[in-house]
Amino acid sequence: MATTSLKLPAELKQRAVAAAEKIGVSPHAFMVQAIEQAATSAERRTGFVDEALSARVQMLKTGKGYDADEVHAHLKSRIAGKMSPQPKARAWQS
């Protein structure tokens, strides 16, 4: 395992120590977990943006896309536990 020195403002360190105590872990474990969560979040966001850019390229290439209202209705149905057919891509250019 690599070692890293992390300089924190005193107030932030105290907040981290207090939060760690409240959940029953060491301050070190708390900080490692926080950094892991931040890295995972950044990776997911990057993946989401990459996927969106790829979908945009595909949409521009094919001239087909999805109606936002249909997508929202589909997602609301799925969240409610109902089966819902996936929206179909259709031409958006004339």
Side-chain angles (χ1 to χ4, degrees), residues 28-90:
H28 172 80
F30 180 83
M31 288 182 231
V32 168
Q33 183 180 34
I35 292 169
E36 182 177 4
Q37 287 174 349
T40 298
S41 177
E43 291 162 355
R44 285 182 179 165
R45 177 175 286 280
T46 298
F48 177 77
V49 170
D50 290 346
E51 187 177 332
L53 291 172
S54 177
R56 181 180 186 277
V57 167
Q58 186 67 14
M59 184 184 73
L60 292 172
K61 180 179 173 183
T62 65
K64 292 185 177 183
Y66 296 90
D67 181 89
D69 292 334
E70 290 177 13
V71 171
H72 292 160
H74 170 70
L75 293 174
K76 287 178 183 177
S77 292
R78 294 300 306 265
I79 289 168
K82 300 175 185 173
M83 292 302 293
S84 172
Q86 284 189 333
K88 303 250 188 257
R90 53 187 152 145

